[in-house]
């Protein structure tokens, strides 16, 4: 779920735009990649003045014009690397426009369906009721699936504002935030027949707050295989959004649903994650990653703001026996805006859509590179953000509002095996 930047940035910090200095240069093998010395991420010549609501690269004012120019020039690159791992990952990749004129503001979900070579995505709630679309990667065409409901569920099409989702073992699960007509829920969709089935819509008769994202794992138990659906629920008023329902009655939380046992249980309270948003899992199912979309720019950074949340990524251990979580680890802090659309690749790298673009952290939390929003979306007013993307094998699929881009990476980042039992 995307938090829109509420401010407009007409004034710009004065910057020297000289010739590209030699201390940071486009990579020898890829003119769309700038490799920056990672020292700039933590040590700058004085005086400098950064701004939480402006990009690091061209929004940091520096008296030292050489360094200012290095950073500002990097802002012109589609890919910015702070680490050899990212440079290798990009290789000779280019930013390829595959859908130039999407007639819809796409931007959420980003569900790779490997069996069918598809990416499912939804439009953003900021553009009105959300719609589900399917991108066929084999020919770069986008279709709106003609969904039908399973018996007894007939009045629930169109879907009640799908927001996030996940493919697992032949089924697509969708998180729905709800409408004025019906509460938030989780549904499953058969990607071959487009038949929709309800999965979860209440907790002992109480409505869930809007369900925003979900991920699926499974465990081998003595009773057989048990799946776990991890879902985020949050009161959307934090984003100034409403779907026409009364305020949530249950507090924000992450939940775990186990279809085989029928257990819907809360796993992370709002005291731990103030504004739950994305949820992702490592390939080996040992770690759950979640995001808190408490934005420093809107809720303040200092103690005076009385807010416990940070714009951040947290990692939990997942129990291989019962699927419950423990050992919260502070994994990453979003520099600008919030982290959205979280995915964890096969090497444990964590990918999130932040206001500067798609930010990639390595498996131990270092920011190693950026898919630069300023090049992907261009500079537009009001400022637009990317909220989500898909990792499909060796391809990053960028949901860029009225466009879709792909970036073919130098390695397979997500293989299909995590999606089957
Ligand atoms: C940060 O940038 C915004 C937009 O340019 C501006 O309104 C604000 O005053 C800046 N903040 C600081 C601390 O300079
Ligand atoms: C990437 O590099 C190619 C080849 O130099 C160039 O034509 C293209 O414009 C570049 N794309 C971007 C987004 O910089
Ligand atoms: C600017 O910063 C660079 C890198 O820290 C340094 O080598 C250079 O001497 C500085 N230039 C000036 C004019 O201070
Ligand atoms: C694209 O591929 C899908 C899946 O094979 C197919 O159903 C569809 O007709 C194709 N569309 C076009 C325009 O070729
Ligand atoms: C996975 O899919 C297969 C084939 O449809 C099905 O037989 C099996 O029950 C599914 N397993 C789980 C745990 O959902
Ligand atoms: C479940 O058991 C199967 C068969 O022993 C094994 O291949 C698989 O890796 C196990 N999965 C998990 C998540 O433990
Ligand atoms: C934080 O709480 C204190 C004490 O209740 C209150 O005086 C103050 O106005 C609050 N600050 C904000 C930004 O809400």
């Amino acid at each position: 779920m995307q938090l829109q930047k509420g401010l407009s940035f007409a004034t710009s910090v004065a910057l020297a735009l000289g010739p590209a200095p030699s201390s940071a240069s486009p990579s020898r093998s890829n003119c769309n990649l700038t490799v920056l010395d990672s020292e700039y991420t933590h040590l700058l010549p004085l005086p400098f003045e950064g701004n939480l609501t402006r990009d690091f690269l061209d929004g940091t004012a520096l008296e030292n014009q050489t360094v200012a120019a290095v950073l500002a020039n990097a802002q012109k690159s589609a890919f910015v690397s702070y680490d050899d791992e990212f440079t290798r990952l990009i290789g000779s990749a280019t930013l390829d426009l595959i859908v130039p004129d999407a007639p819809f503001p796409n931007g959420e979900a980003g569900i790779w369906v490997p069996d069918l070579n598809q990416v499912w995505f939804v439009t953003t709630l900021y553009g009105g009721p959300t719609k589900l679309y399917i991108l066929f990667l084999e020919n770069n065409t986008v279709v709106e699936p003609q969904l039908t409901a399973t018996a007894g569920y007939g009045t629930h099409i169109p879907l009640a504002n799908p927001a996030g989702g996940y493919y697992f073992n032949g089924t697509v699960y969708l998180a729905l935030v709800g409408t004025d007509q019906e509460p938030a829920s989780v549904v499953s969709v058969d990607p071959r027949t487009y038949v929709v089935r309800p999965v979860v819509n209440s907790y002992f008769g109480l409505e869930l707050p809007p369900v925003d994202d979900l991920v699926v794992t499974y465990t081998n138990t003595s009773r057989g295989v048990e799946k776990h659906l991890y879902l985020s629920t949050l009161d959307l008023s934090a984003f100034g959004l409403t779907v026409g329902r009364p305020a949530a009655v249950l507090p924000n939380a992450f939940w775990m649903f186990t279809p085989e046992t029928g257990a819907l249980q809360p796993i992370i309270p709002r005291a731990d994650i103030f504004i739950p948003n994305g949820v992702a899992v490592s390939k080996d199912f040992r770690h759950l990653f979640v995001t808190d979309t408490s934005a420093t720019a809107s809720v303040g950074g200092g103690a005076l703001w009385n807010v416990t949340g940070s714009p951040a990524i947290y990692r939990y251990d997942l129990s291989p026996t019962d699927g419950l979580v423990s050992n919260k680890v502070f994994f990453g802090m979003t520099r600008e805006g919030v982290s959205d659309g979280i995915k964890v690749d096969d090497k444990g790298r964590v990918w999130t859509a932040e206001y500067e673009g798609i930010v990639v952290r390595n498996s131990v939390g270092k920011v190693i590179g950026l898919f630069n929003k300023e090049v992907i979306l261009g500079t537009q007013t009001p400022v637009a953000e990317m909220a989500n993307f898909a990792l499909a094998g060796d391809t990053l699929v960028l949901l860029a509002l009225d466009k879709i881009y792909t970036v073919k990476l130098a390695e397979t980042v997500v293989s299909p095996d995590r999606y089957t039992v």
Side-chain angles (χ1 to χ4, degrees):
M1 178 55 58
Q2 182 180 12
L3 169 59
Q4 269 195 344
K5 204 182 261 187
L7 307 159
S8 79
F9 308 115
T11 52
S12 65
V13 177
L15 287 169
L17 293 172
S22 57
S23 52
S25 52
S27 146
R28 268 187 301 281
S29 57
N30 188 338
C31 62
N32 294 314
L33 170 69
T34 294
V35 179
L36 282 179
D37 188 336
S38 76
E39 184 170 286
Y40 296 133
T41 67
H42 60 269
L43 190 62
L44 289 169
L46 297 175
F48 66 87
E49 190 180 345
N51 186 325
L52 187 65
T53 63
R54 291 179 50 89
D55 294 352
F56 165 56
L57 295 175
D58 69 356
T60 305
L62 284 152
E63 200 165 288
N64 183 315
Q65 301 293 295
T66 311
V67 175
V70 167
L71 297 181
N73 274 297
Q75 184 75 310
K76 298 174 193 157
S77 286
F79 318 123
V80 180
S81 176
Y82 298 111
D83 192 282
D84 290 347
E85 183 179 355
F86 191 79
T87 305
R88 285 194 303 273
L89 182 62
I90 295 299
S92 57
T94 51
L95 184 62
D96 302 320
L97 182 60
I98 60 160
V99 179
D101 279 307
F104 41 77
N106 76 80
E108 290 281 1
I111 305 161
W112 184 37
V113 180
D115 300 2
L116 299 170
N117 199 22
Q118 298 169 347
V119 169
W120 291 35
F121 61 89
V122 301
T123 57
T124 76
L125 202 50
Y126 289 97
T130 66
K131 274 188 174 176
L132 175 69
Y133 289 93
I134 297 174
L135 165 67
F136 294 102
L137 288 169
E138 69 182 78
N139 54 22
N140 296 335
T141 55
V142 174
V143 299
E144 194 181 342
Q146 298 311 305
L147 304 174
T148 56
T150 190
Y153 196 60
T155 59
H156 302 267
I157 307 288
L159 297 175
N161 285 315
Y166 201 76
Y167 167 82
F168 188 76
N169 197 43
T171 300
V172 175
Y173 297 88
L174 294 174
L176 311 186
V177 301
T179 62
D180 57 349
Q181 299 297 312
E182 63 180 274
S185 66
V186 174
V187 297
S188 70
V189 185
D190 181 328
R192 292 186 161 80
T193 62
Y194 299 149
V195 171
V196 180
R197 290 182 169 75
V199 177
V200 168
N201 70 6
S202 50
Y203 180 65
F204 294 95
L206 296 175
E207 279 187 26
L208 297 172
V211 186
D212 183 54
D213 197 12
L214 64 85
V215 76
V216 185
T217 70
Y218 75 94
T219 50
N220 293 313
T221 74
S222 55
R223 296 172 300 278
V225 169
E226 288 179 1
K227 292 189 292 299
H228 299 299
L229 278 64
Y230 295 93
L231 16 150
S232 58
T233 62
L234 76 156
D235 186 339
L236 292 175
S237 61
F239 301 128
L241 285 169
T242 171
V243 291
R245 300 196 75 71
V249 291
L250 288 165
N252 289 357
F254 287 87
W255 302 76
M256 178 177 81
F257 176 61
T258 309
E260 288 78 11
T261 66
L264 174 65
Q265 46 198 125
I267 54 160
I268 304 173
R270 72 172 168 199
D272 274 17
I273 306 289
F274 193 61
I275 303 182
N277 199 305
V279 54
V281 69
S282 60
K283 179 185 171 67
D284 60 9
F285 298 162
R286 293 168 88 118
H287 296 296
L288 192 74
F289 289 78
V290 300
T291 58
D292 185 338
T293 42
S294 302
T296 319
S298 53
V299 302
L304 274 181
W305 287 82
N306 305 333
V307 168
T308 56
S310 299
I313 302 163
Y314 297 93
R315 186 187 78 196
Y316 287 83
D317 291 346
L318 274 182
S319 161
T321 51
D322 56 25
L324 295 173
V325 302
S326 60
N327 296 335
K328 182 186 191 185
V329 170
F330 195 170
F331 188 82
M333 173 101 83
T334 323
R335 183 196 174 280
E336 193 186 341
V338 294
S339 287
D340 213 334
I342 188 168
K343 320 273 187 236
V344 180
D345 76 15
D346 290 356
K347 296 229 170 89
R349 288 182 289 244
V350 177
W351 302 56
T352 52
E354 304 183 11
Y355 284 10
E356 291 171 292
I358 310 303
V359 175
V360 184
R361 291 174 174 80
N362 68 12
S363 63
V364 291
K366 179 189 175 186
V367 173
I368 59 171
L370 173 73
F371 295 85
N372 189 359
K373 183 202 81 178
E374 195 130 318
V375 172
I376 298 163
L377 293 188
T379 48
Q380 39 183 292
T381 312
V383 176
E385 317 299 343
M386 283 185 295
N388 224 316
F389 56 92
L391 296 178
D394 62 359
T395 301
L396 167 66
V397 180
L398 291 160
L399 303 173
L401 306 181
D402 61 346
K403 297 180 177 58
I404 300 177
Y405 292 91
T406 53
V407 179
K408 196 164 163 48
L409 304 162
E411 64 180 67
T412 292
V413 288
V414 175
S415 53
D417 42 330
R418 69 167 74 187
Y419 301 110
T420 46
V421 174

